Amino acid sequence: MKILAIESSCDETAAAVVEDGRRVLSSVIASQVSEHIVYGGVVPEIASRMHAQAISGVVSKAMSDAGVGYSDIDAIAVTYAPGLIGALLVGVNFAKGLAYSTGLPLVPVHHLRSHIAANYISHSNLEPPFLCLVVSGGHSHIVAVRDYTDFSIIGRTRDDAAGECMDKAARAMGLPYPGGVNLDKISVNGDASLYKLPHPRVDGSEYDFSFSGLKTAVVNIIHNSKQKGIEVSVPDLGASCIETVADCLVNNTVKAAENYGFDKIVLAGGVSANSRLRKRMDAVCKEKGWKLYMPELSLCGDNAAMVGAQAYYEYKNGNVADLSLNAFATMPIDFCE
Ligand code: KG4
Ligand code: ZN
C-alpha cells in the first residue's frame, strides 16, 4: 500500500511517499529555518504563509521523486494535530483537496504518533509493545506504546518541553535558532561538571518532568556572571544544561520501564537527535540489557516519511476521515474517537 503523506505542523513543509509503513519511496522537506532565524524562533503567521507557498511544489516533488502518479497511490495522509494551528490547516486543506479530487481515503495522523513511527522506518524489525520517550519542541512524554494505535501516557512535562527548555537556554547563551541543535553542537566537548544546575523533581509523580526551573537557573547563571564581569563558558554551561535534561529524561524513563516491565525502549522526536541523550540512553540500556531503538538522525526532526509510516497503521485500524476533517493545536496522543 502506497501512501502520500503531508506534514506542516511547524516550520517544515514536507511530503513523502511511503510503502506499507516501512519503505520510503521519497521524502521532501522544505525548511523555513532561514526565514525564522532573524526572529530567534518560529513566527506562526510566517510559517503558515510559507507552507501555503511551498506545499504544492513539495508534494509534486515527492510524487516525481517516488516515480509515481495518483493512480499508484492508495491513501492521502496528513498531520492534523498537535501543532501551530495556521500551519496545520495548510497541510490539512491541501490533503483534503487531493483526497477530494482523487477519491482516495484521507488518513489523519497525530504528530507525536508519527515521531514514534519514524522508528518503524529506521528499524524494520521494531514492533509494539515498547516504552517510548517522545521529546520534541512542544512535548516531553513517556508513552507506553501497546500497539501501533494504542498509546497510554505514563509521564509528561508539567511545564516546558525538553526541546523548549534547550531552545530557551540556547537563546539566553546567545546561540541562534534553532537553539537545541546549536547547543548540542557547541557543547560536544564541554565539561558538564563546571556549572551546577538543579535537577527538578515533580512532587507526587516519579515519571513527570519539569524543565522551566532549569531554564531559569541557566538564565540566572548568565546574569550573575555578567554582573560580576565573569565570562560564561557556553560549551560548558551548554553541556551542563543538556546533561541535566538528559538525566531527568533517562532516569524517569528507566523508572517507568522497570515499574511497567518494558525491556524495549524507543526514543523519538526532534530532541532524540541530541548526541548526549543518545549516548546516555544507549549506555543505560546496555547496562540493563534492554534493547534500544532510535531514529536515524535524518528522521528525528519533522518530516513526512514518519507520517506515511504511522498512517499505514492508522488506516489498517480504520482511522479514516471525511472531508470535514479539522486541525487541532492540541490533542492528546492517546485520543481515540
Ligand atoms: O520534533 P521537532 O522537530 O518539532 C516539534 O515537533 O516540536 O522538535 C524540535 C525540537 C526543537 O526544540 C529543537 O531545538 C530540538 O527539537 N532539537 C534538538 C536537537 N535537534 C533538534 N535539541 C537538542 N539537540 C539536538 N541535536
Ligand atoms: Zn515534531
Side-chain angles (χ1 to χ4, degrees), residues 143-276:
V143 184
V145 182
R146 305 203 189 280
D147 207 339
Y148 289 104
T149 58
D150 182 0
F151 304 81
S152 45
I153 299 174
I154 292 174
R156 69 180 80 219
T157 182
R158 296 284 181 97
D159 40 56
D160 289 356
E164 189 181 358
C165 169
M166 288 198 252
D167 288 344
K168 287 175 176 170
R171 196 172 171 164
M173 289 179 220
L175 299 176
Y177 157 84
V181 189
N182 290 317
L183 195 64
D184 190 5
K185 279 188 196 146
I186 204 162
S187 60
V188 165
N189 297 316
D191 182 349
S193 67
L194 291 185
Y195 291 95
K196 295 273 170 269
L197 290 168
H199 280 61
R201 274 178 220 290
V202 176
D203 284 344
S205 169
E206 49 183 338
Y207 309 123
D208 284 356
F209 309 106
S210 167
F211 292 118
S212 71
L214 184 58
K215 169 202 66 195
T216 311
V218 168
V219 170
N220 286 344
I221 287 176
I222 295 168
H223 283 330
N224 291 342
S225 303
K226 256 193 199 145
Q227 276 170 350
K228 291 178 190 155
I230 302 167
E231 203 178 321
V232 169
S233 161
V234 173
D236 297 330
L237 183 54
S240 179
C241 177
I242 295 175
E243 277 296 333
T244 309
V245 172
D247 257 350
C248 301
L249 295 174
V250 171
N251 291 346
N252 290 14
T253 305
V254 167
K255 269 185 258 167
E258 282 173 344
N259 294 349
Y260 284 81
F262 285 98
D263 59 4
K264 224 196 259 186
I265 310 295
V266 172
L267 206 56
V271 181
S272 66
N274 186 266
S275 51
R276 281 173 190 264

